[in-house]
Amino acid sequence: GALVYQYPRRTICKSGTSMRMECQAVGFQATSVAWYRQSPQKTFELIALSTVNSAIKYEQNFTQEKFPISHPNLSFSSMTVLNAYLEDRGLYLCGAREGAYEQYFGPGTRLTVL
Amino acid sequence: GQQVKQSSPSLTVQEGGISILNCDYENDMFDYFAWYKKYPDNSPTLLISVRSNVDKREDGRLTVFLNKSGKHFSLHITASQPEDTAVYLCAAGQGGSAKLIFGEGTKLTVSS
């Protein structure tokens, strides 16, 4: 079946440092990958959408300078949170989709910023 | 503004009853509508989805109803069980991409 893995599952970083999270699709081709963040007391916000052979599109309030994303092949994507501060804490989800089929989510990376 | 909205933050239903969860959306271009179930500290799990060319889809105890003219879709859970207690998120998307817009969630509690 289709599975999406994310690692690390939990991470703690000092304020002002950066951390990288990874997303791996197994059993299908992730032609489209979306990264979301759930901040405390909020729903899931879309950060950016990456589609193979297209430029990565960032949503308002999120930039490539702050959340650079790599989507080098149909099974892998990574995102880095640069200069993390308290407001960046939350659960980061990777959602991957093959064409028009269902979207599957990874278990998330929970980021704590000290 | 909120493109996908769940107006009820919580819902309590007696065991055996029907749980009805509602979702409204704004974007006419959405053509994919889904319901996800989420436990605390877990990522959302897809329950059921429907595309814009149908107005109803059933899967076991779950039924999704889509009302395109009203920009509304709902999830009905029949014979609700305590194990159905969770947060339910509706989501909508378009064009076959992984971009989904989520509602804020409705916390369903099924009491025995």
Side-chain angles (χ1 to χ4, degrees), chain A residues 2 38-39 62 106:
Chain A
Q38 185 185 32
S39 302
F62 297 98

Coordinates of all heavy atoms in Angstrom, one line a residue, chain A residues 2 38-39 62 106:
Chain A
A2 N 0.2 2.4 -0.1 CA 0.8 3.7 -0.1 C 1.2 4.1 1.3 O 0.3 4.1 2.2 CB 0.0 4.7 -0.8
Q38 N 0.9 22.7 11.6 CA -0.2 22.9 12.6 C 0.5 23.5 13.8 O 1.2 22.9 14.5 CB -0.9 21.6 13.0 CG -2.1 21.9 13.9 CD -2.7 20.6 14.4 OE1 -2.1 19.6 14.6 NE2 -4.0 20.6 14.6
S39 N 0.2 24.8 14.0 CA 0.7 25.5 15.1 C -0.3 25.2 16.3 O -1.4 24.9 16.1 CB 0.8 27.0 14.9 OG 1.6 27.2 13.8
F62 N 4.6 32.5 4.0 CA 5.7 31.5 4.0 C 6.6 31.8 2.8 O 6.1 32.0 1.7 CB 5.1 30.1 3.9 CG 4.3 29.7 5.1 CD1 2.9 29.7 5.0 CD2 4.9 29.2 6.2 CE1 2.1 29.4 6.1 CE2 4.1 28.9 7.3 CZ 2.7 28.9 7.2
G106 N 2.3 11.8 6.1 CA 3.2 11.2 7.0 C 2.8 11.5 8.4 O 1.8 12.2 8.6

